[in-house]
Amino acid sequence: AQSVTQPDIHITVSEGASLELRCNYSYGATPYLFWYVQSPGQGLQLLLKYFSGDTLVQGIKGFEAEFKRSQSSFNLRKPSVHWSDAAEYFCAVGEGGSSNTGKLIFGQGTTLQVKP
Amino acid sequence: KAGVTQTPRYLIKTRGQQVTLSCSPISGHRSVSWYQQTPGQGLQFLFEYFSETQRNKGNFPGRFSGRQFSNSRSEMNVSTLELGDSALYLCASSLFLNTEAFFGQGTRLTVV
């Protein structure tokens, strides 16, 4: 069965510092991978996705993520964090390929706090 | 282009009642899926629809049901509400089943 692990429940970084949020997945084949962000009381906003091809993907708001098949990881990075980045971040896995489902399995989320 | 619209945004219901939540997907999107978000269980898949047919269902009791209309709008229904059904219910739309999903703002359901 697919699973997604976000090892860090809570991360605090200073504004302007770099950020890396970890995500590990368990899946037999190459899945579709996503990062979403959620502000309090809001829905999920898609930051970026990986379907195939270049393993380094660029997203919105200056975020990027790198797919590492050997480590089953899809870590999210940002070179310089802004106070407005404080939110909860979710990594998600879809079955990908020729699957006929869009079902997503989510990690438990990482709450990012940004210090001024 | 308008995003995914969920109505209502907030709802308070009493145990034993039933509730219907609505989701209008992005124009042109044909797939709608539903998720339940709670502090304890996180984000859990409820079901997904494509071309008015339920294609996949999560591990939820039969009290949870849904449907999709010919215009791709979807509704989900929860009957005989329990306190544990209190959650944020999120709807996501995608062009087809296996393309990226875009989420609505959610409906916050509180069962008292």
Side-chain angles (χ1 to χ4, degrees):
Chain A
Q2 298 175 54
S3 66
V4 180
T5 301
Q6 293 180 244
D8 305 305
I9 295 174
H10 192 108
I11 282 185
T12 300
V13 300
S14 298
E15 190 168 16
S18 63
L19 171 71
E20 181 168 29
L21 302 183
R22 296 181 291 164
C23 173
N24 293 97
Y25 67 89
S26 173
Y27 185 60
T30 300
Y32 286 178
L33 296 161
F34 307 87
W35 275 99
Y36 287 89
V37 61
Q38 184 179 38
S39 298
Q42 301 298 311
L44 302 176
Q45 181 181 22
L46 179 64
L47 284 175
L48 46 76
K49 63 183 185 289
Y50 173 79
F51 284 176
S52 65
D54 192 347
T55 57
L56 183 63
V57 293
Q58 303 297 320
I60 62 171
K61 303 185 179 187
F63 286 94
E64 66 177 27
E66 186 171 13
F67 168 57
K68 292 186 177 180
R69 185 192 308 273
S70 61
Q71 298 176 20
S72 296
S73 70
F74 189 57
N75 294 349
L76 181 71
R77 301 193 293 248
K78 187 170 185 178
S80 177
V81 169
H82 188 262
W83 64 266
S84 61
D85 293 324
E88 190 161 19
Y89 292 79
F90 293 93
C91 179
V93 166
E95 288 192 3
S98 59
S99 167
N100 63 351
T101 177
K103 173 184 175 181
L104 297 175
I105 303 296
F106 285 88
Q108 285 298 101
T110 298
T111 299
L112 172 65
Q113 183 179 358
V114 180
K115 290 191 302 185
Chain B
K1 202 180 224 185
V4 180
T5 303
Q6 290 189 245
T7 56
R9 288 292 311 278
Y10 302 93
L11 210 47
I12 300 176
K13 289 287 188 179
T14 304
R15 269 184 306 173
Q17 286 186 313
Q18 76 164 18
V19 68
T20 299
L21 312 181
S22 180
C23 173
S24 293
I26 293 170
S27 177
H29 284 198
R30 296 173 59 191
S31 177
V32 172
S33 52
W34 290 88
Y35 293 82
Q36 181 195 66
Q37 185 178 24
T38 60
Q41 299 298 315
L43 282 151
Q44 294 186 288
F45 172 79
L46 280 158
F47 26 65
E48 70 182 340
Y49 290 86
F50 181 77
S51 292
E52 302 177 66
T53 302
Q54 187 179 92
R55 303 292 178 152
N56 204 350
K57 190 177 193 305
N59 188 25
F60 279 82
R63 301 184 296 106
F64 291 81
S65 63
R67 58 179 175 168
Q68 186 181 33
F69 302 95
S70 58
N71 61 359
S72 294
R73 192 177 69 84
S74 177
E75 289 180 347
M76 67 163 280
N77 185 77
V78 188
S79 61
T80 320
L81 283 166
E82 301 176 0
L83 294 179
D85 297 332
S86 294
L88 182 66
Y89 289 88
L90 292 163
C91 168
S93 86
S94 52
L95 196 56
F96 300 107
L97 275 173
N98 206 8
T99 54
E100 63 261 46
F102 298 89
F103 284 79
Q105 296 295 295
T107 294
R108 170 73 62 184
L109 172 65
T110 302
V111 182
V112 297

